[in-house]
Amino acid sequence: MCDECFRPLAAINGSRRRRLWDLPHPCHCPVVGVCFPLPVLRQLVGKALGGKAVADDYEIHLGAVAECMKRNRLSEVLQKELESRYAGAVQAFRAAKDTRAAADMWAAAVRGGDVPGAFWAVLTHPRCDELLQEAVLRDMHMLQHQAGAAARVDAARFGELVKENGVLGRELGRVQERCTRVISEKSAEIERLNAQLVQQRAIAIGKDSRIAFLTQDLERLQASLPDYEDTTRLRRRLEQLGARLAVLEAQNARLRQQLGEAQCLLGLREAAPVPAAEHRGDAPRESPVAFHFKEKTVLCVGGRNGNVSSYRDAVEKAGGHFAHHDGGLEDKQGALDSVLAAADLVICQTGCISHNAYWRVKDFCKRTGKQCVFVENPSTSSLTRTLQQITAGDPAETPAADAGR
């Protein structure tokens, strides 16, 4: 090695920063190895040679270290790259005015892990003497050993991670395959359910359309039927009368049974000896007038509502079936013709009937020849006397009642 490498630093440095070719040769190897990444170094060597370097990394490193001993095209290219790459560190070390300050800044850079820029800045610093240079080279030598050990540990760890990554990759492949299969199954099920949903919607739409058509047909049919509302009302009225008839027939059967029992008891009394007091005729007794309508329907038109039950008892005791119409006061006029057609005898209470109902009853009975009796007094006793008169053969209409209208 030449003597120039061991000249005192103060003799060559002065107050300016040293260049790459000004550094001692032992500094060139760590500077090139630490401050230049291998791809960058290969690119710079190719640029200086005017072509592409084909040597391996070790040969390129040795050639660059050898060329740094003097100023040439490659050393100038490397010098320019170092100044550009580590300009921030060089600017920071300008604050060190003496060797002690430069050493402290280098130690702080080592502790912080920012070594390449600080290494170049401290070696080229004007206050870097032989002692600081030796200390920096020793630190860098140990850092390179530690970096190598760490690289070996990292390589081993990297191998383990590669193996673990392979295991996890295979497991991930199995999971992805299982997920793909589940997604395919769920997609098929969703398609099947969507098809069923479309089918059910079509069925529901068909049912709604059918209901709409049937509703239109029903409305059209109801509109084509004459007196549909009257027919419906009469049907309900007929059902009510049927239910009432069933109740009355049960009541009539019970009354017939009671009548039979009473007749038997009366027969027993007539067979018994009559006391002498009854033959003397001390108290004259009115004998009841017997009358019977032989299951005929007796229609009572008009009358007081509170006497309807009494009217019914009088007719049923005479053996007839009772029917009633209020003469237009509450019952509707449309139901009057139907009850008139079903009656065998009509009793018109002229004192409690509308004019319209009166003339309808009279006109109907004249046209059909049906027996009709007009009574002014709406009492039960008057109705009973009228029934007795009809049984005795009196005319169908009373002149006094007819004259009142």
Side-chain angles (χ1 to χ4, degrees), residues 162-182:
V162 169
K163 293 180 181 179
E164 184 178 359
N165 184 66
V167 174
L168 294 177
R170 290 189 294 272
E171 181 65 23
L172 178 61
R174 288 192 294 270
V175 172
Q176 289 177 343
E177 181 181 0
R178 185 164 58 252
C179 290
T180 302
R181 185 174 61 256
V182 172

Side-chain angles (χ1 to χ4, degrees), residues 179-197:
C179 290
T180 302
R181 185 174 61 256
V182 172
I183 291 174
S184 300
E185 294 175 356
K186 295 300 181 182
S187 298
E189 184 177 0
I190 290 173
E191 291 179 358
R192 180 178 58 81
L193 293 176
N194 286 333
Q196 292 181 358
L197 178 61

Side-chain angles (χ1 to χ4, degrees), residues 142-158:
M142 295 306 299
L143 288 174
Q144 287 178 328
H145 280 296
Q146 294 175 4
R152 289 190 295 273
V153 173
D154 290 342
R157 178 59 180 165
F158 179 76

